[in-house]
Amino acid sequence: MNILKSGLLAALVATAGLASSQVLAEDMPIGGNVRIVIGSKSTGGDTYQNTSIVAQALAEKLDINVKVDAVGASAAFKTIDRLSDGNTIMVFHDQSYLGYLYGRKGYSNPFDDYTVGPTVAINPGNAYLVPKSSPYQTIEDIIQACADGKRIRVAIQPGGVSEIGFSALKNAIKIRYPGKEANLVAVNTGSQADKNQLLFDGQADLINGSVQANEQYTRLPADDQKAMRFVWLTARHETIEQANPEGMGETSREELLKYVSPNASVTQDGSKDFTFDKEFFFLYNKDMSPEIVAFYDKALGEIFAEGKIQETQKKSFFIPNFKPSSEAQSYLKDKMEQYKTIIESIR
């Protein structure tokens, strides 16, 4: 009898889920298939990978085709500027507002010019690394070197996610050792490969990188010119704690936790540590109807409630982080204001 009851319950739950999906699809306030433009031109990067996971889940949920189009930030913003029907939407990350804060061409305040939609995931891998042969073992060693008058060269790609950790580190030195922040010097460059090369060639003492892109170099023997060490991950401690125990590559979650606050401390204001989670979220045309915004919130809310997408995200070293539009807007605005204070403090 219990087996029969369990089978009947499972069938009812499955039927209810199917009915919910069918109702959602039938009531779609959009006109069919969806195109998601992303703020990256790479089909091998984290923005494309993360968005593809979400797109596949949406396609299955709504029984439509959802295409991810890697057009780059400028083209993506221009595209959603023109289209408000909800069939063309955008996914990007904190670069959306950091580009504006750093005054990069083509970026405006997304909270003024667009509708910020739900968050879907975090890439917890934003990292800073030194050569394995470096005398600096920790991020505190870097801070103390600047305090002692040594010039520390940091390879970054200016104007966004790559630079915010550099800005925070400079701000922390200014708070603790006023005037010594000038010893932390940006070496502005381009891609991750460019930043790596500066480290290999001895032209930088510290580089911005990522767990995904640079973990392989941390496994090399110390006498290898390309060998690196992590000294700081900007992610929150609780974010890394949510990663799978195996972590990334051959670096476990427990090992990664050594490089985040409070173990690696970079003060934000003298009382709390700076942290930065690279978060992915939707952006819509400013005139898109609230009905369509609510529709995407509902669809994504149900997808995350089902729990399958989280498993897929974690396998790719993304941390699930769904927040509906209204919650995401206030949360991301608060992030922007905190980082605005940091950036302005070192100008």
Side-chain angles (χ1 to χ4, degrees):
M1 181 64 71
N2 287 339
I3 294 174
L4 287 173
K5 283 183 178 179
S6 297
L8 179 60
L9 178 60
L12 287 171
V13 169
T15 303
L18 179 61
S20 173
S21 180
Q22 287 174 339
V23 168
L24 192 62
E26 288 169 4
D27 292 346
M28 285 196 301
I30 56 176
N33 298 329
V34 171
R35 178 190 181 208
I36 304 178
V37 292
I38 63 171
S40 168
K41 293 182 179 179
S42 170
T43 56
D46 60 345
T47 304
Y48 188 88
Q49 187 179 11
N50 170 71
T51 306
S52 295
I53 292 170
V54 175
Q56 183 177 347
L58 269 176
E60 292 173 359
K61 182 71 176 176
L62 303 177
D63 193 26
I64 60 173
N65 292 319
V66 182
K67 175 188 177 184
V68 181
D69 206 349
V71 298
S74 180
F77 283 125
K78 287 178 181 176
T79 299
I80 62 167
D81 269 334
R82 297 192 309 268
L83 302 168
S84 62
D85 60 4
N87 287 93
T88 301
I89 54 181
M90 180 177 175
V91 169
F92 205 17
H93 48 69
D94 301 82
Q95 180 70 33
S96 304
Y97 62 83
L98 287 173
Y100 164 70
L101 292 178
Y102 281 113
R104 287 192 64 182
K105 184 178 179 181
Y107 286 84
S108 60
N109 187 334
F111 299 100
D112 290 341
D113 295 345
Y114 305 96
T115 296
V116 172
T119 60
V120 288
I122 297 168
N123 178 347
N126 190 50
Y128 284 81
L129 303 98
V130 296
K132 268 193 181 174
S133 59
S134 171
Y136 310 119
Q137 299 294 316
T138 65
I139 198 66
E140 179 63 22
D141 288 346
I142 296 286
I143 293 171
Q144 291 302 321
C146 289
D148 292 341
K150 292 176 182 170
R151 187 170 176 264
I152 302 294
R153 302 159 299 169
V154 189
I156 60 169
Q157 185 173 6
V161 167
S162 181
E163 187 171 0
I164 188 61
F166 168 81
S167 297
L169 186 56
K170 198 173 186 75
N171 177 64
I173 296 167
K174 181 180 179 181
I175 289 170
R176 293 177 59 186
Y177 304 102
K180 300 297 184 179
E181 67 276 8
N183 292 322
L184 193 76
V185 180
V187 181
N188 293 331
T189 186
S191 68
Q192 189 61 59
D194 293 336
K195 288 180 276 186
N196 293 350
Q197 194 61 50
L198 286 169
L199 201 70
F200 301 155
D201 294 341
Q203 300 302 307
D205 305 294
L206 177 71
I207 64 167
N208 171 245
S210 72
V211 173
Q212 294 90 331
N214 294 90
E215 189 271 343
Q216 60 182 315
Y217 296 108
T218 67
R219 298 182 231 147
L220 296 174
D223 60 354
D224 192 307
Q225 183 185 8
K226 295 183 177 181
M228 305 178 185
R229 278 188 287 105
F230 291 116
V231 290
W232 184 33
L233 302 185
T234 64
R236 292 173 293 181
H237 193 279
E238 54 266 36
T239 299
I240 297 293
E241 280 186 322
Q242 295 175 63
N244 289 334
E246 59 268 26
M248 182 73 192
E250 295 180 13
T251 306
S252 71
R253 179 178 64 195
E254 288 307 306
E255 289 178 279
L256 292 173
L257 285 169
K258 297 174 184 176
Y259 307 112
V260 300
S261 174
N263 299 319
S265 177
V266 175
T267 191
Q268 178 168 321
D269 56 12
S271 60
K272 70 176 181 180
D273 281 351
F274 167 87
T275 57
F276 170 73
D277 281 340
K278 183 180 180 181
E279 306 199 50
F280 295 87
F281 51 91
F282 281 79
L283 290 137
Y284 309 129
N285 180 288
K286 190 71 174 177
D287 297 324
M288 197 173 88
S289 76
E291 179 188 13
I292 300 176
V293 175
F295 169 76
Y296 280 119
D297 275 355
K298 178 176 172 61
L300 289 163
E302 290 187 7
I303 287 167
F304 278 86
E306 288 162 8
K308 293 179 182 177
I309 191 173
Q310 289 93 324
E311 295 175 12
T312 305
Q313 288 174 323
K314 285 190 173 186
K315 284 178 183 176
S316 297
F317 200 61
F318 294 119
I319 305 302
N321 186 44
F322 174 72
K323 289 182 172 66
S325 297
S326 59
E327 185 180 343
Q329 287 164 13
S330 58
Y331 168 71
L332 291 168
K333 274 184 182 178
D334 179 65
K335 280 185 77 174
M336 186 175 83
E337 288 303 313
Q338 289 188 52
Y339 300 151
K340 179 182 178 182
T341 299
I342 290 169
I343 293 166
E344 289 181 345
S345 77
I346 58 170
R347 279 181 172 165

